[in-house]
Amino acid sequence: MPKAARLALALGIFVVAVALAVIGAMAYLRSNPPNVDYAAGHQSGQPVHLTIQTVGQIGFGAHPSWVSYLALAPDGRWVHSTLWQLPAHTLVDVTVYEYDTGGPLRNQVFGSVSGVIGDDYVLNGKPVRLLDSNSGNGVAHTFSVPALGINVPLWGVPSSAKNICAHAPCSFSSVHNVITFSFRTPGPGQYHWQCLIPCGAGFLDGNGGPMQSIGYMGGFLKVVDA
Amino acid sequence: MTSEETADRIERRREGLSHWKWLTGVWLILTAIIEPVIYFLIWPHLPPGNMTSSARGAQFDMMVLTMIAAPVMVAVLAYFAYALIVFRHPKGRPLVDGPPLRGNLRVQTAWITITSAIVMGAFVFGTYELIVPAGAGGAEGPSPIWTPASHTELPVQVIGQQWIWTYRYPTFGGFETTQLMLPNNTEIAFHVTSLDVIHSFWAYQLGVKADANPGVDDVAFTQTNQLGRITVRCSELCGIWHGAMYGYGEVVSPSAFETWAKAMERRLAPATRLLPPFAWTYTPSANGAGGGYYPQTDPYYDKTLYDQGRSGPEGNLPALRVEKSQRVG
Ligand SMILES: [Cu+2]
Ligand SMILES: [Cu+2]
């Protein structure tokens, strides 16, 4: 084989190897957290049921002590992910099982419910528009989608309770609150959502750790054409 | 020096002079074309537009600096093109070394004088413009030196927090909202602060940019003079959702603003009562943020949810009916 051909072959192999390594690394990085797909097989005109839970500590994985969200996948499994794929222009009925203790908000403005259909949400059967986090159990987390104007504060459970969930997914035998609300998805796009409570205990301003990690206290609503 | 050498020098000098004349001519013509183009055609489209006094000021500064820079750039490009065309080595002629370069006091003096004048001029102009016109939309810290003459500004507090902007209107009962609304033809005093790390309030179309530091009231002035939409971005890397920390606002007519603000004041009154009293800065930890147990009565207490599961570690009395699809674990 002539020298030039050998060189070209070596270069070609090198380029392919680098490309494979990059694709492999990207695929690995993108594989977790997984996408929870509520859009596949969705019948247009029908609402999507999004059931999620918030837990005081996830209890497994790389950061067992971190607070987290989990989502109930359409196949009935609780999935540790904050990437939720939803059909566009569709009513989403959300049920949140909130298992974490709360406290006063850093910014009380996020005790107000906004961006949901009807301006109220339902907390343990009672309609709520505004939570006073300085009294009672306080607020544990919020479900907030700034681009859609959605802010839903999640009332905390009493920290004196003896049955606080310590390992996700939490079951109904642990103390919890039930929050329901609805919103309508906009057109296709990726809409960032996050918790607006600095709940990353032990991190600077409470905003590190789970607050800065997709899969825990923030993620994306991946709105797609159904 | 032989007479032959002298004749050669004179010849080269004459040639050099004609190069100068050509280059100067080309440069003058191009400059005469490009300067009016910048002034009349490009100026109105320069960022950040002219929605406010400070945006208009920034636009004017961009125009002046562009007009100063354009002739320099034209000179460089014209010389580059001229050298490529005229000083090309003719094909077939033997390659000979060019004449040796010697110092030329006149050229050197002119070079240093002109470039220094341009740079110093831009420096003096830029510094003046940055400070004198009421802070030029930049932040001036808690006690601004340059303030607008009117002293009838509308104060708007801008609160940065990871990762969303909120706004408080102290002259309307101190309500807080995620919407930025401003009245037209009004002097605005932005008071920018943060509840956690350093953010930066960048209202692009307003020509306003101010750091949001926790515990600091950073003041920036501007006067609105055009209706329209505003884009607000955080321009200080502040964590994972820094890129998502943007929002939109609007400059509306003074009467529309008044109506909006009064309606918000009324509608948000219950929420405003829960906010800390209006202050120029806040100490987030002072309100106990980060959690705590409050043993008062819980208005959302629900016996079935809270207590039934206490009967065992795994809870043999599930508080809610667990449907098959929702069974946990
Ligand atoms: Cu949280
Ligand atoms: Cu920021």
Side-chain angles (χ1 to χ4, degrees):
Chain A
M1 206 191 271
K3 200 177 170 194
R6 277 211 311 266
L7 205 72
L9 186 70
L11 202 70
I13 290 170
F14 176 73
V15 167
V16 169
V18 169
L20 282 176
V22 169
I23 290 167
M26 292 307 287
Y28 172 73
L29 289 174
R30 290 174 65 95
S31 67
N32 203 44
N35 222 22
V36 187
D37 194 351
Y38 299 95
H42 168 255
Q43 306 256 308
S44 82
Q46 293 296 308
V48 167
H49 296 280
L50 176 62
T51 304
I52 52 185
Q53 65 172 265
T54 48
V55 298
Q57 45 184 19
I58 186 84
F60 61 84
H63 306 285
S65 65
W66 283 11
V67 289
S68 191
Y69 269 86
L70 288 94
L72 190 68
D75 65 5
R77 282 177 309 118
W78 282 105
V79 182
H80 184 211
S81 176
T82 53
L83 305 178
W84 307 331
Q85 193 152 314
L86 298 167
H89 308 294
T90 303
L91 186 71
V92 183
D93 291 327
V94 188
T95 305
V96 189
Y97 297 112
E98 204 294 303
Y99 289 94
D100 198 7
T101 53
L105 286 158
R106 177 163 296 167
N107 188 342
Q108 298 290 342
V109 85
F110 301 122
S112 300
V113 179
S114 68
V116 303
I117 289 170
D119 285 337
D120 288 334
Y121 75 4
V122 179
L123 167 58
N124 297 347
K126 300 180 187 78
V128 170
R129 192 164 293 193
L130 175 67
L131 289 176
D132 178 2
S133 69
N134 287 322
S135 69
N137 303 337
V139 172
H141 303 280
T142 74
F143 173 75
S144 309
V145 195
L148 308 183
I150 296 174
N151 182 64
V152 177
L154 306 174
W155 189 245
V157 299
S159 56
S160 58
K162 295 193 177 65
N163 57 338
I164 292 176
C165 175
H167 193 290
C170 302
S171 71
F172 293 157
S173 60
S174 293
V175 58
H176 63 285
N177 291 311
V178 183
I179 293 115
T180 55
F181 61 94
S182 301
F183 69 97
R184 187 163 274 283
T185 54
Q190 300 230 5
Y191 301 89
H192 133 254
W193 69 267
Q194 68 168 89
C195 169
L196 278 169
I197 294 177
C199 58
F203 293 92
L204 179 68
D205 293 317
N207 271 313
M211 285 295 285
Q212 305 236 20
S213 304
I214 289 178
Y216 292 86
M217 277 290 137
F220 285 99
L221 304 182
K222 298 182 166 186
V223 179
V224 294
D225 271 323
Chain B
M1 194 181 286
T2 64
S3 63
E4 208 174 289
E5 266 178 63
T6 316
D8 186 43
R9 275 188 69 177
I10 291 166
E11 175 54 34
R12 265 196 280 127
R13 193 160 182 173
R14 199 173 287 145
E15 207 181 297
L17 271 178
S18 89
H19 286 315
W20 264 115
K21 275 183 197 159
W22 266 108
L23 267 170
T24 313
V26 169
W27 176 72
L28 275 175
I29 291 165
L30 287 176
T31 302
I33 295 169
I34 201 129
E35 293 290 74
V37 167
I38 294 169
Y39 190 86
F40 291 107
L41 297 180
I42 297 177
W43 183 14
H45 303 288
L46 283 175
N50 59 354
M51 234 170 126
T52 60
S53 56
S54 42
R56 186 175 287 175
Q59 200 179 38
F60 172 78
D61 300 344
M62 295 268 276
M63 179 273 291
V64 171
L65 295 176
T66 310
M67 285 190 73
I68 292 172
V72 178
M73 187 149 172
V74 165
V76 171
L77 291 178
Y79 181 75
F80 183 52
Y82 190 87
L84 277 180
I85 296 160
V86 179
F87 301 148
R88 186 174 283 278
H89 179 73
K91 252 194 188 139
R93 215 163 324 138
L95 197 61
V96 284
D97 199 7
L101 293 174
R102 292 195 185 84
N104 184 324
L105 193 64
R106 272 205 350 241
V107 169
Q108 281 167 315
T109 311
W111 183 266
I112 288 166
T113 311
I114 293 168
T115 52
S116 301
I118 291 172
V119 172
M120 289 308 288
F123 164 68
V124 171
F125 171 77
T127 308
Y128 176 88
E129 286 290 289
L130 193 61
I131 298 167
V132 178
E140 299 183 68
S143 43
I145 306 165
W146 291 273
T147 53
S150 68
H151 292 297
T152 54
E153 315 93 32
L154 171 80
V156 177
Q157 185 170 52
V158 180
I159 303 171
Q161 60 242 285
Q162 286 167 316
W163 291 268
I164 196 165
W165 294 106
T166 53
Y167 308 94
R168 272 191 100 167
Y169 291 81
T171 46
F172 292 89
F175 74 81
E176 185 170 345
T177 165
T178 51
Q179 271 178 291
L180 176 60
M181 284 282 197
L182 299 172
N184 199 11
N185 298 317
T186 308
E187 194 75 57
I188 314 281
F190 287 109
H191 291 262
V192 184
T193 189
S194 165
L195 296 186
D196 37 52
V197 298
I198 302 171
H199 303 272
S200 182
F201 172 70
W202 180 28
Y204 173 79
Q205 289 88 346
L206 303 182
V208 171
K209 199 174 196 187
D211 276 356
N213 292 285
V216 177
D217 171 33
D218 205 3
V219 185
F221 297 100
T222 197
Q223 188 182 345
T224 53
N225 46 35
Q226 209 179 78
L227 302 175
R229 221 160 113 92
I230 311 158
T231 315
V232 175
R233 286 188 177 282
C234 178
S235 64
E236 183 69 56
L237 188 60
C238 60
I240 189 178
W241 299 117
H242 163 69
M245 197 172 159
Y246 64 88
Y248 301 98
E250 220 174 329
V251 177
V252 296
S253 72
S255 60
F257 173 79
E258 196 78 7
T259 311
W260 172 82
K262 290 208 166 121
M264 288 298 268
E265 184 178 356
R266 236 175 300 119
R267 194 159 72 80
L268 296 180
T272 308
R273 274 195 288 278
L274 298 180
L275 297 177
F278 184 85
W280 296 118
T281 62
Y282 302 95
T283 312
S285 52
N287 72 1
Y293 176 55
Y294 293 78
Q296 300 100 323
T297 52
D298 176 3
Y300 307 104
Y301 175 81
D302 185 319
K303 196 166 165 38
T304 38
L305 298 182
Y306 284 11
D307 296 341
Q308 285 198 0
R310 281 188 193 172
S311 52
E314 278 310 306
N316 37 29
L317 281 173
L320 284 178
R321 195 166 57 90
V322 184
E323 284 166 26
K324 234 197 175 94
S325 66
Q326 292 182 358
R327 200 171 290 280
V328 150

